[in-house]
């Protein structure tokens, strides 16, 4: 093993870019996020950075999932320890942060040259759930998610559009922010951009060179994989498996074909920065090593991204980070699975992708979020219309139930929590809390947590709509306890809207758009059906109901009249659904 020199100090200005920078070192943005029933606004420019300390001997226990008289509380009893799957060790491990009570988490962000697709949505929703759950457990989380705004793909796209690459990337960074707001993803603690961190990147490359792990060729700097014997430990791949051409430069000047670029010399028409090796720009992999070290230190808890980043990106990150500092260490490498179409990975390079904007044009963003977390984050998830319809139908049922419950509770001054809840309601809540705790502690098994909603939602509907339920003792207290229990899980999963009525109306509007009908047309069909029933033309009445059902509009006959709600189109209900 090579002998490494001391760690470099990265937060110092080293060289000045030739390109004027129009934005500061740290980019933050203000947004409104739906959490519980209030608007969550983030406009905090303070960034907490910390390095490693001793290994924590304690784990933070879950603060909730305990009930007091059936009420879901913030302070709870000891519970199952959180276990996360570590790609490095290929097994689930009990989560123990380096600094007791604090978590440093770095997630690789988008290369901003186009609108983001639902493969990106899958990654950032997955890590948003992890972020939320760690905070729910009481951890103070420093969440860093970068933007790649200097890259070959950005330059190529900018040349196509005859635009400045940095300006183009800045535009798509803002578009990405809009997508994250729609998906109710909380903002990270900081979102560094490559173009703002050239001093840190150059300093790290210089340290790697000084430590003898890289070499210069005509203004380019390459990392020498032969200098890092543990190369391939994360992915389990051998050096000969390195894919030249896939962000691994094909260059006959390299000592080893697997060597990768740390710095690329300037080419005509490309942005560049001054460096000790001449004008140029960084390679792809070095940026995350430099920025994670700048904000979290060389040793931190969690590094995440999609499974496609395991090799070569994260493998190269490990090699160059360790070459720059022998104390470099990430405790848990976490990766989410792909979104597939017909079992083929969705990606821009393959052209088989749907952008987030395309999907939420027809489906509510919360339906897309439910679809994404309805499969375990490490498993592949197959995109299909029927899956989105099922997710949309499910969120409508959840929010309609809670909206109806809210309406009843608003008619009363409040529930009296001094009374012991009925045994069946208390048992329902206890069972739900236990299932949620066990599933979320088991590597964030969100599909099981979502499935656990069925019983408390059914109990609420029984209390609201059945004769027996309406006469039940402590009905209001039971509804209040069940409502709070469900709301807390929805908040953890990022599924808690600011207004049930608003989301329900939006779900109806999306359903009408998919059906290619207006609400006036649906109401006209209801009137025609009422007339057919009045004249006992049941064949016509049934045909109208079926025609609407085929396009996802379900009619419901009540004592007050006929209404409609979105539903899974009858034309799709017979299709096979792959369950994650």
């Amino acid at each position: 093993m090579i002998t490494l020199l001391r760690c470099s100090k990265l937060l110092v200005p080293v060289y000045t870019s030739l390109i004027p920078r129009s934005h500061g070192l740290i980019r933050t943005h203000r947004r409104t996020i739906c959490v519980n029933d209030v608007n969550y606004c983030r406009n905090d420019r303070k960034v907490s950075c910390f390095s490693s300390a001793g290994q924590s001997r304690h784990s933070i226990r879950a603060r909730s999932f305990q009930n007091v008289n059936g009420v879901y509380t913030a302070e709870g009893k000891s519970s199952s320890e959180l276990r996360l799957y570590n790609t490095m060790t290929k097994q689930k491990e009990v989560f123990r942060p380096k600094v007791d009570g604090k978590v440093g988490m770095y997630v690789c962000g988008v290369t901003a040259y186009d609108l983001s697709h639902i493969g990106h949505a899958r990654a950032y929703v997955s890590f948003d759930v992890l972020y939320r759950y760690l905070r729910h457990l009481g951890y103070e989380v420093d969440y860093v998610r970068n933007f790649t705004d200097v890259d070959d793909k950005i330059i190529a796209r900018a040349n196509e559009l005859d635009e400045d690459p940095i300006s183009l990337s800045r535009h798509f960074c803002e578009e990405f922010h809009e997508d994250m707001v729609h998906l109710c993803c909380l903002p990270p603690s900081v979102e560094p951009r490559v173009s703002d961190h050239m001093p840190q990147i150059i300093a790290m490359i210089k340290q790697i060179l000084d430590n003898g792990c890289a070499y210069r060729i005509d203004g380019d700097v390459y990392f020498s994989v032969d200098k890092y014997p543990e190369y391939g430990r994360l992915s389990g791949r051998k050096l000969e498996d390195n894919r030249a051409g896939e962000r691994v430069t094909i260059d006959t000047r390299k000592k080893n074909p697997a060597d990768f670029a740390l710095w690329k010399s300037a080419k005509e028409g490309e942005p560049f920065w001054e460096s000790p090796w001449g004008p140029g720009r960084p390679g792809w992999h070095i940026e995350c090593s430099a920025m994670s070290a700048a904000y979290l230190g060389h040793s931190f808890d969690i590094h995440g991204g999609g499974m496609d980043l395991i090799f070569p990106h994260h493998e190269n990150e490990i090699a160059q980070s360790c070459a720059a500092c022998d104390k470099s260490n990430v405790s848990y490498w976490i990766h989410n699975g792909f979104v597939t179409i017909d079992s083929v990975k969705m990606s821009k390079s393959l052209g088989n992708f749907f952008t987030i904007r395309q999907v939420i044009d027809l489906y509510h963003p919360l339906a897309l979020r439910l679809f994404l977390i309805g499969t375990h984050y490490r498993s592949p998830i197959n995109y299909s219309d029927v899956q989105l319809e099922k997710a949309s139908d499910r969120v409508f049922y959840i929010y309609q139930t809670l909206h109806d419950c809210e309406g009843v509770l608003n008619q009363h001054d409040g529930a009296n929590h001094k009374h012991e809840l009925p045994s069946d309601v208390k048992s329902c809540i206890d069972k739900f809390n236990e299932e949620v705790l066990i599933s979320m502690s088991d590597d964030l098994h969100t599909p099981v947590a979502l499935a656990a909603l069925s019983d408390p939602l059914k109990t609420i509907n029984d209390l609201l709509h059945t004769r027996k339920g309406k006469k039940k003792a402590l009905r209001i207290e039971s509804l209040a306890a069940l409502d709070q229990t469900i709301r807390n899980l929805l908040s953890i999963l990022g599924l808690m809207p600011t207004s049930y009525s608003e989301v329900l109306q939006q779900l109806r509007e999306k359903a009408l758009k998919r059906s290619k009908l207006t609400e006036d047309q649906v109401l006209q069909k209801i009137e025609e059906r009422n007339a057919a029933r009045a004249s006992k033309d049941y064949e016509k009445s049934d045909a109208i109901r079926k025609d609407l059902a085929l396009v996802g509009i379900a009619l419901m006959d009540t004592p007050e009249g006929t209404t409609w709600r979105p539903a899974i189109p009858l034309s799709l209900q017979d299709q096979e659904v792959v369950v994650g």
Side-chain angles (χ1 to χ4, degrees), residues 208-371:
I208 295 171
L209 278 165
D210 290 345
N211 289 351
C213 297
Y215 55 93
R216 301 166 56 175
I217 303 177
D218 301 328
D220 296 326
V221 180
Y222 284 101
F223 184 88
S224 177
V225 295
D226 293 325
K227 297 291 186 178
Y228 186 67
E230 295 186 15
Y231 189 82
R233 187 161 57 100
L234 179 69
S235 63
R237 297 172 67 95
K238 299 178 181 179
L239 278 177
E240 53 267 28
D241 294 329
N242 210 335
R243 297 167 288 190
E246 188 169 328
R247 286 191 171 178
V248 179
T249 308
I250 299 173
D251 192 333
T252 57
R253 301 174 302 162
K254 294 194 294 184
K255 295 179 180 180
N256 186 316
D259 293 349
F260 55 90
L262 299 175
W263 187 261
K264 299 179 178 182
S265 58
K267 296 179 178 61
E268 186 177 352
E270 295 185 354
F272 62 90
W273 288 258
E274 283 296 343
S275 79
W277 320 287
R281 57 187 173 88
W284 178 41
H285 311 294
I286 191 66
E287 64 186 59
C288 288
S289 289
M291 289 188 288
S292 63
Y295 292 99
L296 300 175
H298 289 279
S299 182
F300 56 94
D301 301 298
I302 296 171
H303 198 314
M307 286 186 178
D308 55 330
L309 298 183
I310 295 174
F311 188 91
H313 184 52
H314 286 167
E315 196 73 75
N316 291 353
E317 270 196 67
I318 293 170
Q320 63 200 9
S321 293
C322 290
C325 177
D326 59 356
K327 292 182 175 60
S328 178
N329 174 261
V330 172
S331 299
Y332 304 88
W333 289 88
I334 299 176
H335 297 91
N336 64 275
F338 299 131
V339 177
T340 62
I341 295 181
D342 298 327
S343 300
V344 177
K345 176 202 166 190
M346 178 181 295
S347 70
K348 290 179 181 176
S349 60
L350 295 176
N352 64 337
F353 68 94
F354 293 99
T355 66
I356 296 170
R357 301 289 173 87
Q358 287 174 318
V359 176
I360 65 175
D361 182 54
L362 293 176
Y363 296 93
H364 197 282
L366 288 172
L368 175 55
R369 186 177 177 106
L370 183 81
F371 161 71

Side-chain angles (χ1 to χ4, degrees), residues 55-289:
Q55 180 77 6
S56 171
R57 296 183 180 180
H58 307 285
S59 62
I60 292 183
R61 304 291 187 174
R63 294 185 299 154
S64 52
F65 304 112
Q66 179 187 6
N67 76 78
V68 178
N69 292 331
V71 178
Y72 191 92
T73 64
E75 296 299 328
K77 58 188 177 182
S78 295
S79 62
S80 300
E81 294 179 302
L82 174 62
R83 297 175 66 86
L84 297 172
Y85 184 85
N86 190 347
T87 306
M88 180 64 78
T89 61
K90 311 298 187 291
Q91 63 183 5
K92 295 177 188 176
E93 298 177 352
V94 174
F95 179 69
R96 301 189 189 281
K98 295 177 181 294
V99 178
D100 199 21
K102 296 185 176 182
V103 177
M105 180 169 75
Y106 186 95
V107 175
C108 291
V110 295
T111 300
Y113 68 96
D114 203 346
L115 293 175
S116 297
H117 56 65
I118 60 172
H120 297 126
R122 209 276 170 97
Y124 302 119
V125 166
S126 295
F127 286 100
D128 181 67
V129 171
L130 175 57
Y131 181 38
R132 287 170 178 271
Y133 193 60
L134 288 170
R135 287 169 35 141
H136 165 76
L137 294 178
Y139 289 107
E140 178 186 333
V141 185
D142 278 322
Y143 177 17
V144 182
R145 185 183 67 206
N146 76 294
F147 278 116
T148 295
D149 62 348
V150 180
D151 184 81
D152 293 340
K153 293 182 179 180
I154 297 170
I155 294 169
R157 182 72 190 281
N159 288 338
E160 288 176 11
L161 301 174
D162 194 25
E163 291 189 27
D164 172 68
I166 301 298
S167 298
L168 175 75
S169 183
R170 188 182 303 120
H171 166 72
F172 284 113
C173 288
E174 295 307 317
E175 295 294 334
F176 174 82
H177 283 154
E178 291 298 317
D179 290 337
M180 294 301 101
V181 170
H182 286 308
L183 291 172
C184 283
C185 289
L186 296 176
S189 309
V190 62
E191 294 185 280
R193 305 188 186 199
V194 175
S195 60
D196 290 331
H197 291 77
M198 289 301 164
Q200 291 83 6
I201 291 170
I202 290 170
M204 179 170 273
I205 295 172
K206 187 175 185 300
Q207 189 71 55
I208 295 171
L209 278 165
D210 290 345
N211 289 351
C213 297
Y215 55 93
R216 301 166 56 175
I217 303 177
D218 301 328
D220 296 326
V221 180
Y222 284 101
F223 184 88
S224 177
V225 295
D226 293 325
K227 297 291 186 178
Y228 186 67
E230 295 186 15
Y231 189 82
R233 187 161 57 100
L234 179 69
S235 63
R237 297 172 67 95
K238 299 178 181 179
L239 278 177
E240 53 267 28
D241 294 329
N242 210 335
R243 297 167 288 190
E246 188 169 328
R247 286 191 171 178
V248 179
T249 308
I250 299 173
D251 192 333
T252 57
R253 301 174 302 162
K254 294 194 294 184
K255 295 179 180 180
N256 186 316
D259 293 349
F260 55 90
L262 299 175
W263 187 261
K264 299 179 178 182
S265 58
K267 296 179 178 61
E268 186 177 352
E270 295 185 354
F272 62 90
W273 288 258
E274 283 296 343
S275 79
W277 320 287
R281 57 187 173 88
W284 178 41
H285 311 294
I286 191 66
E287 64 186 59
C288 288
S289 289

Side-chain angles (χ1 to χ4, degrees), residues 28-43:
T28 60
H29 53 279
R30 181 178 179 86
R31 66 177 77 183
T32 302
I33 300 293
C34 43
V35 182
N36 291 326
D37 281 314
V38 298
N39 287 338
Y40 177 89
C41 294
R42 189 76 181 239
N43 194 22

Side-chain angles (χ1 to χ4, degrees), residues 440-460:
M440 292 300 289
S441 298
D442 182 20
D443 196 30
L444 305 180
H445 216 306
T446 52
V448 176
L450 288 170
L453 285 169
S454 295
D455 284 348
L457 287 169
K458 181 181 182 302
T459 303
I460 288 177

